[in-house]
Amino acid sequence: MLETPSGGAGPGTAAGDGAPPGGSLSIGAVLRLLREEFPEVTVSKIRFLEAEGLVEPERSPTGNRRFAPGDVERLSYVLRMQRDHYLPLKVIREHLDALGRGGTPRSVPAPSREPAEPEVTAPAPTVRIARGELLAVAGVGEEELAVWEAYGLITASDQGTYDLAGAAVAQLLAGLGKHGIEPRQLRAMKTAADRQAELVERLVAPLRRDRDPRTRARAESTAQELVGLSVRLHAALVQSALRPRGD
């Protein structure tokens, strides 16, 4: 069953206290409503989601977009699935179609509510997102993405697409950038991550070479456990370094 994070409206529910029960809204009014839960959303993002067919607002006689409350609910749902689950628009569209038919979309994992112990899951290897979609998910432009790629912080496939882990990295880089942290300042973190990945690979390589399928399957779960422990250790080390020495 699809789990929607608490505090937000899913499709087919009330959009929130700021939305009128009837009538239509301008794109500016929709932006103000959405920013209560999604502070980083922009008019460009709303227009992109419209262009992708995730929402279809009506047009006034003068050509202005007019959004119904249901459109705001759909936008909230899309943004929530991107933020909490890093789902590509193709998958989100399938969820919305299933809900529109009265069906049940395939489940997604609930987002972690324990920031001190983040849950790390392997990205689905068959799910890829296009460059434009990555830009929309991260809320950045071509210039920022080009700089990230130049510093090796994010890498596209030979086909120019990105996996779900890349989408997560892009969102985190965008968040750090808003606090003035530049890509060049993150090169040491990228180097440390690469070395940690090499260490994990060396530890699980013997399991992956085993003939027993169960042992090879255990290699993947072991790798994910090691990644999770590494992430938690990094967070703990940073928190420890920031603690006043007198504590």
Side-chain angles (χ1 to χ4, degrees):
M1 181 73 180
L2 178 67
E3 298 187 35
T4 300
S6 60
T13 64
D17 294 339
S24 59
L25 301 168
S26 67
I27 194 168
V30 171
L31 186 64
R32 288 192 293 273
L33 286 174
L34 291 175
R35 279 184 171 170
E36 294 178 7
E37 184 179 353
F38 311 99
E40 308 305 326
V41 71
T42 63
V43 168
S44 297
K45 179 63 179 288
I46 296 175
R47 289 173 176 167
F48 172 80
L49 294 177
E50 178 190 356
E52 291 295 312
L54 274 299
V55 64
E56 298 179 358
E58 295 183 353
R59 295 280 182 163
S60 70
T62 58
N64 294 324
R65 295 173 175 83
R66 305 302 301 179
F67 294 81
D71 295 326
V72 180
E73 295 164 9
R74 287 178 66 91
L75 287 169
S76 296
Y77 184 85
V78 172
L79 294 171
R80 196 172 300 115
M81 291 298 101
Q82 287 186 321
R83 179 195 65 193
D84 296 342
H85 304 289
Y86 308 118
L87 292 182
L89 295 184
K90 178 181 178 181
V91 176
I92 297 174
R93 187 180 293 107
E94 292 173 355
H95 286 189
L96 289 170
D97 290 345
L99 291 167
R101 295 191 301 269
T104 301
R106 58 189 177 94
S107 62
V108 296
S112 172
R113 293 301 182 186
E114 299 294 335
E117 299 184 5
E119 180 182 355
V120 179
T121 56
T126 58
V127 177
R128 311 289 302 185
I129 62 175
R131 189 176 185 86
E133 192 168 343
L134 180 74
L135 293 173
V137 167
V140 299
E142 282 283 355
E143 184 177 351
E144 290 95 332
L145 180 54
V147 172
W148 297 344
E149 291 178 324
Y151 279 100
L153 297 173
I154 187 170
T155 305
S157 69
D158 294 339
Q159 292 73 36
T161 59
Y162 304 83
D163 59 16
L164 299 188
V169 169
Q171 287 188 314
L172 293 170
L173 290 174
L176 290 170
K178 295 182 188 303
H179 292 280
I181 299 178
E182 300 178 3
R184 61 181 178 83
Q185 297 171 307
L186 299 174
R187 286 183 295 182
M189 187 178 296
K190 178 62 167 61
T191 299
D194 290 341
R195 290 175 177 172
Q196 187 62 38
E198 292 174 1
L199 175 60
V200 171
E201 286 293 338
R202 286 200 300 270
L203 291 173
V204 301
L207 297 176
R208 285 177 172 163
R209 290 194 296 265
D210 196 282
R211 295 182 178 180
D212 189 341
R214 292 172 297 182
T215 302
R216 293 197 298 271
R218 190 167 75 250
E220 301 308 317
S221 62
T222 301
Q224 287 308 304
E225 181 180 358
L226 290 171
V227 170
L229 290 171
S230 299
V231 171
R232 292 165 58 185
L233 174 60
H234 176 80
L237 289 173
V238 173
Q239 291 172 348
S240 178
L242 290 173
R243 184 177 299 118
R245 290 293 179 255
D247 289 357

